[in-house]
Amino acid sequence: MSPTLPSFAAFPTAPWRDRIVPVEWETCLSTWVSLVEAYLSLSEDELISHIKQDESIASFQVTFAREIAVSGINILGTSQPASLLLRQCFLLSSRLLRLPSAPSSLLTWEFLSDYSRVYGKKNAGPCVKSAVQTQDGMTSLQGLKKSLIQALDSGIKADLNFVELRLKRLNHLIHASPDVAAFFFAGSDFLDGLISCFRIMNPPLRKTLVTTTYLCLIGLAEGDSPRYSTLADQLYSLKSAADAHKTGPLNAADSMVPELVTATPLLKQIRHRLEQSDTGLGRSRDVLDALQGYRKPGIHTRPKRLIKRKVDKGKGIMTEEEADLGGEMRVHRMSQISQIQDLFPDLGSGFVSLLLDEYDDNTEQVIAHLLEDSLPPHLAKADRTKELSPDREQTKSHDIAPHSTPPLIPKRQNVFDDDEFDRLAVDVGKLHFGKRNPGQTTDDILGDRTAAPNKAAILSALSAFDADDDERDDTYDAADVGMVVNDDTGDAKDQKRKDMNEEILFRAFQANPKTFDRDATTKRSDARTKLKQQTNMTDEAIEGWAVMLNRTPNQMKQLEMKYSGFRGNQPTLTSTAWRANAAGSGPEDSDIDSGGPGGSRGRGRGRGTGQGGGRGGRGGRGGGGGGRGGNVAGPTGDKDTEHARKRKEENKGSRANHNRRDQRARKMGRGGLPG
């Protein structure tokens, strides 16, 4: 080791960097820059000799690339030594990788991935290409590929976090070197492992798998010698895997192919590269179309970016070349172009002008063909971004005097076109100014019978008329004159239903007000259930009706008057036949058997003596005290009241009131009304 060139100190990790003060950090950066410049100044033989004797050179490059790749270049700072160190380390690493005997630590896939991530594809690509072709570089990639295939095939049994970190680190190397992409996709083992591992529900891992697959497939179409044959085989493998997954019992969302063709521009990029190549699409066209069918509708689709182009309105200083254009830039044509470009802003004014020429300046037809994509072949293949007038060098015009716009000649189009007047073929004798006969009066016109109909023609028309053959006059039909009667009885039916429900609720309230209680037991009772079935009302509606009834005393009286009156029928008739006194007291001609308990008055002729000292006779007074019988107006169900009502009918006459009562009973039985 040369005594003039000391060894490198390894680039510190994050915990150690936090302990270094800014002044010391600037000193470290300056020292590293000096050492790197010193090693760059050595010849190739001297550099190889130092590398064999001192491993700190390669060790510093490995640690530097790793820390910058993980933490970013901001950890170096913004000083001049920081930017200079980044550039000098790139030059030293590139020189070391191009040596015939490069350090083995720099030929590992880990360093090459970090190196590609820090310096990018354009800068690191050539060095990575030469490094992976060495024996040590290929050995490192083979070990990585074997371990990844085993982990991907193991599924959830493997360390998925470790697999995800390795694939993320590897993606930078695949992106920088197409040779690495071709190495991993040589054969179907690695692709099959990616597809099978995608079935695991791990969104970060799925995103990494899709990225790795996309970078490998794009890498096959890049480089000095693209592997189009290998690319076609891998596309067929993707299609076969997608078809098998679609027909299998697995969930369609667990297939990697739909996510790959939807979330990435894979198919578009491959189709573009194949079209630009000498081989063309070839046999890959069908498989690309088949994979396009697996695209997810409406998911991860980027909207088409509208390009707003400046409309060439033909304004500005006229040049000599523009003077030869004639009537190209007309106001009417430019208004049509502007109208179409408002709907299709990506079309150029020149292409729109070609469309207007094709369809005879019919704007509606142009828009319709654009929407239906039914343009003729020569227009479908034309440049849609073509402008009407390209940019030309403006020169001073010789004639800049203003000119008036020529007036537009009106064109008449009506039903009289091409008649004898247009063709000037009319007879001059038929032409006249004003009235034909200015001196003719009304009497002359009425007296002139030359143009009147012939009498024979009138009689002939009348003979052909059949007076009996007359159709029915439907002039005043209700449907024709708008006098249709509205037979809709919906309101009457609704009112009838409401009245029925109100009556049912009122009857139930009179029978048992407890039925309308608001406790849970009442709601589950049979009476409440029956009430809900009859009225089709809920518990809340029934209880609310009772609450409002209790709050409105007048409503109770109205309901009693409405539903407690005579209903037009008389189910039972009281017997009116005369019956003898059960106690045998009183003569046969007596109308009243005894006085009432309250000294009721009798109307019969004979005398009757009751226990209460009642006295009969016409207008006789009954004595006080409690006698037999009772008051007919007493409470219903009372024994004395019922007995008095029964005895009231015993001494009625055989006619008179007796007959009137029977006739009234018959009328009531037939449904008559009282009064």
Side-chain angles (χ1 to χ4, degrees), residues 66 109 117 144 147-148 151-152 155 158-172 174 190 194 197 200-212:
R66 180 55 185 164
W109 72 270
R117 182 177 182 180
L144 174 64
S147 62
L148 285 177
L152 293 173
D159 188 357
L160 299 180
N161 293 331
F162 181 73
V163 173
E164 180 183 352
L165 293 177
R166 283 204 161 192
L167 288 177
K168 285 183 177 180
R169 193 174 184 180
L170 176 63
N171 287 338
H172 299 283
I174 297 175
F190 187 68
L194 294 174
C197 190
I200 302 174
M201 183 54 66
N202 189 336
L205 178 61
R206 283 187 171 185
K207 185 177 180 180
T208 305
L209 295 174
V210 170
T211 305
T212 303

Short mmCIF file of all heavy atoms in Angstrom, two decimals, residues 66 109 117 144 147-148 151-152 155 158-172 174 190 194 197 200-212:
data_model
loop_
_atom_site.label_atom_id
_atom_site.label_comp_id
_atom_site.label_asym_id
_atom_site.label_seq_id
_atom_site.Cartn_x
_atom_site.Cartn_y
_atom_site.Cartn_z
N ARG A 66 -25.01 2.40 -0.50
CA ARG A 66 -26.14 1.87 0.28
C ARG A 66 -26.84 2.98 1.06
O ARG A 66 -28.07 3.09 1.06
CB ARG A 66 -25.65 0.78 1.23
CG ARG A 66 -26.74 0.15 2.08
CD ARG A 66 -27.84 -0.38 1.20
NE ARG A 66 -28.97 -0.89 1.96
CZ ARG A 66 -30.17 -1.13 1.43
NH1 ARG A 66 -30.38 -0.90 0.14
NH2 ARG A 66 -31.14 -1.60 2.17
N TRP A 109 -25.24 -8.19 -6.60
CA TRP A 109 -26.47 -7.55 -7.08
C TRP A 109 -26.93 -6.43 -6.13
O TRP A 109 -27.59 -5.49 -6.56
CB TRP A 109 -27.57 -8.60 -7.25
CG TRP A 109 -28.14 -9.12 -5.95
CD1 TRP A 109 -27.70 -10.18 -5.24
CD2 TRP A 109 -29.23 -8.56 -5.23
NE1 TRP A 109 -28.44 -10.34 -4.09
CE2 TRP A 109 -29.41 -9.36 -4.07
CE3 TRP A 109 -30.07 -7.48 -5.42
CZ2 TRP A 109 -30.39 -9.10 -3.12
CZ3 TRP A 109 -31.05 -7.22 -4.49
CH2 TRP A 109 -31.21 -8.01 -3.34
N ARG A 117 -29.81 2.84 -8.47
CA ARG A 117 -30.81 3.73 -7.86
C ARG A 117 -30.25 5.13 -7.64
O ARG A 117 -30.97 6.13 -7.82
CB ARG A 117 -31.28 3.13 -6.54
CG ARG A 117 -32.35 3.94 -5.85
CD ARG A 117 -32.83 3.26 -4.60
NE ARG A 117 -33.90 4.02 -3.96
CZ ARG A 117 -34.51 3.65 -2.83
NH1 ARG A 117 -34.17 2.51 -2.23
NH2 ARG A 117 -35.47 4.41 -2.32
N LEU A 144 -29.55 -15.17 -6.26
CA LEU A 144 -30.75 -14.39 -5.94
C LEU A 144 -31.99 -14.97 -6.63
O LEU A 144 -33.05 -15.08 -6.00
CB LEU A 144 -30.54 -12.94 -6.38
CG LEU A 144 -31.74 -12.01 -6.25
CD1 LEU A 144 -32.15 -11.86 -4.79
CD2 LEU A 144 -31.44 -10.65 -6.87
N SER A 147 -33.19 -18.21 -4.85
CA SER A 147 -33.82 -17.96 -3.55
C SER A 147 -35.20 -17.29 -3.71
O SER A 147 -36.15 -17.61 -2.98
CB SER A 147 -32.92 -17.09 -2.68
OG SER A 147 -32.71 -15.82 -3.29
N LEU A 148 -35.32 -16.40 -4.70
CA LEU A 148 -36.62 -15.75 -4.91
C LEU A 148 -37.66 -16.73 -5.42
O LEU A 148 -38.83 -16.67 -5.01
CB LEU A 148 -36.45 -14.58 -5.89
CG LEU A 148 -35.78 -13.32 -5.35
CD1 LEU A 148 -35.62 -12.29 -6.45
CD2 LEU A 148 -36.58 -12.73 -4.19
N ALA A 151 -38.89 -18.77 -2.51
CA ALA A 151 -39.74 -17.99 -1.60
C ALA A 151 -41.10 -17.70 -2.23
O ALA A 151 -42.13 -17.74 -1.55
CB ALA A 151 -39.03 -16.70 -1.22
N LEU A 152 -41.13 -17.39 -3.52
CA LEU A 152 -42.40 -17.10 -4.19
C LEU A 152 -43.29 -18.33 -4.26
O LEU A 152 -44.52 -18.24 -4.11
CB LEU A 152 -42.14 -16.54 -5.59
CG LEU A 152 -41.47 -15.16 -5.66
CD1 LEU A 152 -41.12 -14.81 -7.10
CD2 LEU A 152 -42.38 -14.09 -5.07
N GLY A 155 -45.20 -19.26 -0.91
CA GLY A 155 -46.42 -18.52 -0.55
C GLY A 155 -46.33 -17.92 0.83
O GLY A 155 -45.35 -17.29 1.22
N ALA A 158 -43.32 -18.42 3.42
CA ALA A 158 -42.07 -17.69 3.34
C ALA A 158 -42.17 -16.36 4.09
O ALA A 158 -43.25 -15.93 4.50
CB ALA A 158 -41.69 -17.45 1.88
N ASP A 159 -41.01 -15.72 4.25
CA ASP A 159 -40.96 -14.40 4.88
C ASP A 159 -41.33 -13.36 3.82
O ASP A 159 -40.50 -12.93 3.01
CB ASP A 159 -39.56 -14.15 5.43
CG ASP A 159 -39.50 -12.88 6.28
OD1 ASP A 159 -40.54 -12.19 6.39
OD2 ASP A 159 -38.41 -12.58 6.82
N LEU A 160 -42.61 -12.96 3.80
CA LEU A 160 -43.10 -12.09 2.74
C LEU A 160 -42.48 -10.70 2.81
O LEU A 160 -42.25 -10.07 1.78
CB LEU A 160 -44.63 -12.00 2.81
CG LEU A 160 -45.37 -13.33 2.62
CD1 LEU A 160 -46.87 -13.10 2.69
CD2 LEU A 160 -45.00 -13.96 1.28
N ASN A 161 -42.20 -10.21 4.00
CA ASN A 161 -41.56 -8.90 4.11
C ASN A 161 -40.15 -8.91 3.52
O ASN A 161 -39.74 -7.96 2.84
CB ASN A 161 -41.50 -8.46 5.58
CG ASN A 161 -42.88 -8.18 6.14
OD1 ASN A 161 -43.78 -7.78 5.41
ND2 ASN A 161 -43.03 -8.38 7.44
N PHE A 162 -39.45 -10.00 3.75
CA PHE A 162 -38.11 -10.13 3.19
C PHE A 162 -38.16 -10.22 1.67
O PHE A 162 -37.34 -9.62 0.96
CB PHE A 162 -37.43 -11.37 3.79
CG PHE A 162 -36.03 -11.59 3.29
CD1 PHE A 162 -34.99 -10.77 3.71
CD2 PHE A 162 -35.76 -12.61 2.39
CE1 PHE A 162 -33.70 -10.98 3.24
CE2 PHE A 162 -34.46 -12.83 1.93
CZ PHE A 162 -33.43 -12.01 2.35
N VAL A 163 -39.15 -10.95 1.15
CA VAL A 163 -39.31 -11.06 -0.31
C VAL A 163 -39.64 -9.71 -0.91
O VAL A 163 -39.12 -9.33 -1.97
CB VAL A 163 -40.40 -12.10 -0.63
CG1 VAL A 163 -40.71 -12.12 -2.12
CG2 VAL A 163 -39.98 -13.49 -0.17
N GLU A 164 -40.52 -8.96 -0.25
CA GLU A 164 -40.90 -7.64 -0.77
C GLU A 164 -39.71 -6.69 -0.80
O GLU A 164 -39.51 -5.97 -1.79
CB GLU A 164 -42.02 -7.06 0.11
CG GLU A 164 -42.49 -5.69 -0.33
CD GLU A 164 -43.54 -5.12 0.60
OE1 GLU A 164 -44.01 -5.86 1.49
OE2 GLU A 164 -43.88 -3.93 0.44
N LEU A 165 -38.90 -6.68 0.25
CA LEU A 165 -37.73 -5.78 0.28
C LEU A 165 -36.72 -6.16 -0.79
O LEU A 165 -36.13 -5.28 -1.44
CB LEU A 165 -37.10 -5.83 1.67
CG LEU A 165 -37.94 -5.25 2.82
CD1 LEU A 165 -37.22 -5.44 4.16
CD2 LEU A 165 -38.22 -3.77 2.58
N ARG A 166 -36.52 -7.44 -1.00
CA ARG A 166 -35.56 -7.86 -2.03
C ARG A 166 -36.03 -7.49 -3.42
O ARG A 166 -35.25 -7.05 -4.27
CB ARG A 166 -35.34 -9.37 -1.94
CG ARG A 166 -34.43 -9.77 -0.79
CD ARG A 166 -33.78 -11.10 -1.06
NE ARG A 166 -32.60 -11.31 -0.23
CZ ARG A 166 -31.71 -12.28 -0.44
NH1 ARG A 166 -31.90 -13.13 -1.43
NH2 ARG A 166 -30.66 -12.40 0.34
N LEU A 167 -37.33 -7.69 -3.69
CA LEU A 167 -37.85 -7.35 -5.02
C LEU A 167 -37.79 -5.85 -5.26
O LEU A 167 -37.48 -5.39 -6.37
CB LEU A 167 -39.28 -7.86 -5.17
CG LEU A 167 -39.46 -9.38 -5.29
CD1 LEU A 167 -40.93 -9.74 -5.35
CD2 LEU A 167 -38.74 -9.91 -6.54
N LYS A 168 -38.10 -5.04 -4.25
CA LYS A 168 -38.02 -3.59 -4.41
C LYS A 168 -36.58 -3.15 -4.71
O LYS A 168 -36.36 -2.25 -5.53
CB LYS A 168 -38.51 -2.89 -3.14
CG LYS A 168 -40.01 -2.91 -2.97
CD LYS A 168 -40.42 -2.13 -1.73
CE LYS A 168 -41.93 -2.07 -1.59
NZ LYS A 168 -42.36 -1.32 -0.38
N ARG A 169 -35.62 -3.78 -4.05
CA ARG A 169 -34.22 -3.43 -4.30
C ARG A 169 -33.77 -3.91 -5.67
O ARG A 169 -32.99 -3.25 -6.36
CB ARG A 169 -33.35 -4.03 -3.20
CG ARG A 169 -31.93 -3.49 -3.15
CD ARG A 169 -31.20 -4.04 -1.93
NE ARG A 169 -29.86 -3.48 -1.80
CZ ARG A 169 -29.03 -3.79 -0.81
NH1 ARG A 169 -29.41 -4.65 0.13
NH2 ARG A 169 -27.82 -3.25 -0.77
N LEU A 170 -34.28 -5.06 -6.09
CA LEU A 170 -33.90 -5.62 -7.39
C LEU A 170 -34.51 -4.83 -8.54
O LEU A 170 -33.93 -4.79 -9.64
CB LEU A 170 -34.35 -7.09 -7.46
CG LEU A 170 -34.13 -7.82 -8.79
CD1 LEU A 170 -32.64 -7.92 -9.11
CD2 LEU A 170 -34.77 -9.21 -8.75
N ASN A 171 -35.66 -4.21 -8.35
CA ASN A 171 -36.34 -3.50 -9.44
C ASN A 171 -35.47 -2.39 -10.03
O ASN A 171 -35.53 -2.12 -11.23
CB ASN A 171 -37.66 -2.91 -8.94
CG ASN A 171 -38.71 -3.99 -8.72
OD1 ASN A 171 -38.63 -5.08 -9.30
ND2 ASN A 171 -39.70 -3.68 -7.91
N HIS A 172 -34.65 -1.74 -9.21
CA HIS A 172 -33.78 -0.68 -9.72
C HIS A 172 -32.71 -1.26 -10.65
O HIS A 172 -32.37 -0.63 -11.67
CB HIS A 172 -33.10 0.04 -8.56
CG HIS A 172 -34.07 0.71 -7.63
ND1 HIS A 172 -34.69 1.90 -7.93
CD2 HIS A 172 -34.53 0.35 -6.39
CE1 HIS A 172 -35.49 2.25 -6.93
NE2 HIS A 172 -35.41 1.33 -5.98
N ILE A 174 -33.12 -4.11 -12.46
CA ILE A 174 -33.82 -4.54 -13.67
C ILE A 174 -34.12 -3.35 -14.57
O ILE A 174 -34.01 -3.44 -15.80
CB ILE A 174 -35.11 -5.29 -13.29
CG1 ILE A 174 -34.78 -6.55 -12.49
CG2 ILE A 174 -35.92 -5.64 -14.52
CD1 ILE A 174 -36.00 -7.28 -11.97
N PHE A 190 -39.52 -18.02 -12.82
CA PHE A 190 -39.64 -16.78 -12.07
C PHE A 190 -41.01 -16.12 -12.31
O PHE A 190 -41.65 -15.62 -11.37
CB PHE A 190 -38.52 -15.83 -12.48
CG PHE A 190 -38.43 -14.58 -11.66
CD1 PHE A 190 -38.06 -14.63 -10.33
CD2 PHE A 190 -38.75 -13.35 -12.21
CE1 PHE A 190 -37.98 -13.48 -9.56
CE2 PHE A 190 -38.67 -12.19 -11.45
CZ PHE A 190 -38.29 -12.27 -10.12
N LEU A 194 -44.04 -15.32 -9.56
CA LEU A 194 -44.68 -14.02 -9.35
C LEU A 194 -46.20 -14.14 -9.43
O LEU A 194 -46.93 -13.53 -8.64
CB LEU A 194 -44.18 -13.03 -10.40
CG LEU A 194 -42.69 -12.64 -10.32
CD1 LEU A 194 -42.32 -11.76 -11.51
CD2 LEU A 194 -42.37 -11.92 -9.02
N CYS A 197 -47.58 -16.03 -6.29
CA CYS A 197 -47.48 -15.26 -5.05
C CYS A 197 -48.46 -14.10 -5.03
O CYS A 197 -48.80 -13.60 -3.95
CB CYS A 197 -46.05 -14.75 -4.88
SG CYS A 197 -45.71 -14.02 -3.27
N ILE A 200 -51.75 -14.07 -2.75
CA ILE A 200 -51.74 -13.72 -1.33
C ILE A 200 -52.27 -12.30 -1.17
O ILE A 200 -51.83 -11.38 -1.87
CB ILE A 200 -50.33 -13.86 -0.75
CG1 ILE A 200 -49.81 -15.29 -0.94
CG2 ILE A 200 -50.31 -13.47 0.72
CD1 ILE A 200 -48.37 -15.47 -0.51
N MET A 201 -53.21 -12.13 -0.27
CA MET A 201 -53.81 -10.81 -0.06
C MET A 201 -52.87 -9.93 0.76
O MET A 201 -52.95 -9.86 1.98
CB MET A 201 -55.16 -10.96 0.64
CG MET A 201 -55.88 -9.64 0.85
SD MET A 201 -56.10 -8.67 -0.65
CE MET A 201 -57.21 -9.74 -1.56
N ASN A 202 -51.93 -9.31 0.05
CA ASN A 202 -50.96 -8.40 0.66
C ASN A 202 -50.76 -7.24 -0.32
O ASN A 202 -49.96 -7.35 -1.26
CB ASN A 202 -49.64 -9.13 0.92
CG ASN A 202 -48.68 -8.28 1.75
OD1 ASN A 202 -48.76 -7.06 1.78
ND2 ASN A 202 -47.77 -8.95 2.43
N PRO A 203 -51.50 -6.13 -0.18
CA PRO A 203 -51.44 -5.06 -1.18
C PRO A 203 -50.04 -4.52 -1.46
O PRO A 203 -49.68 -4.34 -2.63
CB PRO A 203 -52.36 -3.99 -0.59
CG PRO A 203 -53.31 -4.74 0.28
CD PRO A 203 -52.53 -5.87 0.85
N PRO A 204 -49.18 -4.23 -0.47
CA PRO A 204 -47.83 -3.76 -0.81
C PRO A 204 -47.03 -4.78 -1.61
O PRO A 204 -46.32 -4.43 -2.56
CB PRO A 204 -47.20 -3.47 0.55
CG PRO A 204 -48.36 -3.25 1.47
CD PRO A 204 -49.42 -4.18 0.99
N LEU A 205 -47.16 -6.05 -1.22
CA LEU A 205 -46.44 -7.09 -1.97
C LEU A 205 -46.98 -7.23 -3.38
O LEU A 205 -46.22 -7.41 -4.34
CB LEU A 205 -46.55 -8.42 -1.22
CG LEU A 205 -45.89 -9.63 -1.90
CD1 LEU A 205 -44.40 -9.39 -2.06
CD2 LEU A 205 -46.15 -10.90 -1.09
N ARG A 206 -48.31 -7.13 -3.54
CA ARG A 206 -48.89 -7.22 -4.88
C ARG A 206 -48.38 -6.10 -5.78
O ARG A 206 -48.09 -6.31 -6.96
CB ARG A 206 -50.42 -7.17 -4.78
CG ARG A 206 -51.06 -8.46 -4.32
CD ARG A 206 -52.58 -8.36 -4.40
NE ARG A 206 -53.20 -9.65 -4.16
CZ ARG A 206 -54.52 -9.89 -4.27
NH1 ARG A 206 -55.32 -8.89 -4.61
NH2 ARG A 206 -55.01 -11.08 -4.05
N LYS A 207 -48.30 -4.89 -5.24
CA LYS A 207 -47.80 -3.77 -6.03
C LYS A 207 -46.36 -4.00 -6.46
O LYS A 207 -45.98 -3.69 -7.60
CB LYS A 207 -47.91 -2.49 -5.20
CG LYS A 207 -47.55 -1.24 -5.95
CD LYS A 207 -47.75 0.00 -5.09
CE LYS A 207 -47.38 1.27 -5.84
NZ LYS A 207 -47.57 2.48 -5.00
N THR A 208 -45.54 -4.57 -5.57
CA THR A 208 -44.15 -4.85 -5.91
C THR A 208 -44.05 -5.94 -6.98
O THR A 208 -43.23 -5.85 -7.90
CB THR A 208 -43.39 -5.27 -4.65
OG1 THR A 208 -43.53 -4.26 -3.64
CG2 THR A 208 -41.92 -5.48 -4.95
N LEU A 209 -44.91 -6.97 -6.88
CA LEU A 209 -44.90 -8.04 -7.88
C LEU A 209 -45.28 -7.51 -9.26
O LEU A 209 -44.68 -7.89 -10.28
CB LEU A 209 -45.86 -9.15 -7.45
CG LEU A 209 -45.51 -9.91 -6.17
CD1 LEU A 209 -46.62 -10.87 -5.79
CD2 LEU A 209 -44.20 -10.67 -6.34
N VAL A 210 -46.29 -6.65 -9.31
CA VAL A 210 -46.69 -6.07 -10.60
C VAL A 210 -45.57 -5.22 -11.18
O VAL A 210 -45.29 -5.27 -12.39
CB VAL A 210 -47.98 -5.24 -10.42
CG1 VAL A 210 -48.29 -4.43 -11.67
CG2 VAL A 210 -49.15 -6.15 -10.09
N THR A 211 -44.88 -4.46 -10.33
CA THR A 211 -43.78 -3.63 -10.82
C THR A 211 -42.64 -4.47 -11.37
O THR A 211 -42.07 -4.16 -12.43
CB THR A 211 -43.27 -2.73 -9.67
OG1 THR A 211 -44.35 -1.97 -9.14
CG2 THR A 211 -42.19 -1.80 -10.16
N THR A 212 -42.29 -5.55 -10.68
CA THR A 212 -41.21 -6.42 -11.14
C THR A 212 -41.57 -7.05 -12.48
O THR A 212 -40.74 -7.11 -13.40
CB THR A 212 -40.94 -7.51 -10.10
OG1 THR A 212 -40.64 -6.89 -8.84
CG2 THR A 212 -39.79 -8.38 -10.52
#
